[in-house]
Amino acid sequence: MRRKVTSILALLMSLLCMVGTASTLSAQGSGLVARWKADGDFGDSVNGFNGTPYGGVSFIKGKLGKAFQFDGSSGRIFVPDYPELALTKSMCITAWVYVHPTTNGRILFRGDDRASLDPYALTYQNQTLDFAVMDASGVYAIVKATIPTEEFVFVAGTLDDATGIMNLYANGRLVATTTTKVRPYGNLDTNSNPGIGIGDVQSGVGNEKLYGAVDDLKIYNIANP
């Protein structure tokens, strides 16, 4: 019964991130750009944006099958950059996450090796879940909230381009919101190791390694209204 409720919750949150105007849905379909199910491999089931594991990454039982487990020391997954990942307007990131209270790590991060130029990230640090976007000048917007630790929590960060509203959800509940003019910039430096990092920044450099687990990680190019 618990697994059935869990599956329903995941479906509802996924639908939340796929809600948009009729024209948006007509042009973009579901809006799903990438989905890393973590069911025993590092592949993206939507567009083939497959990841490569480094260091202490393994699989454990998740909420929807298996989950990526990161050791907080060396574990990360690197996904090369693709044009479809260069989201500059509306977006939504969802995942089941299990974090230890002492971790300061990236759940999902897009960027390159240049300092302080990171288009978007979903992070757990300083005992809060953070969803942030940054423009090309380095100005950023962020929403953050505390979430339960040492248990799986379904989280979603959304940005609506039309309204500027950024929302953060935990287990289907709105836990933080703001309105911003900031939009994530698109083009990364092709000579600076651009890409997506799961469990850490894309390069693995620095002290931003997640101690916890991530299951059914998704990126959409639309947001809830």
Side-chain angles (χ1 to χ4, degrees), residues 163-177:
T163 63
I165 294 175
M166 288 180 68
N167 287 333
L168 188 63
Y169 298 87
N171 286 335
R173 183 172 63 91
L174 180 65
V175 291
T177 187

Side-chain angles (χ1 to χ4, degrees), residues 87 110-112 117-121 132-135 183-186 188:
L87 303 179
R110 180 174 181 260
D112 56 35
L117 284 173
D118 313 322
Y120 57 82
V133 296
M134 181 179 290
D135 65 21
R183 299 294 183 272
Y185 70 96
L188 297 176

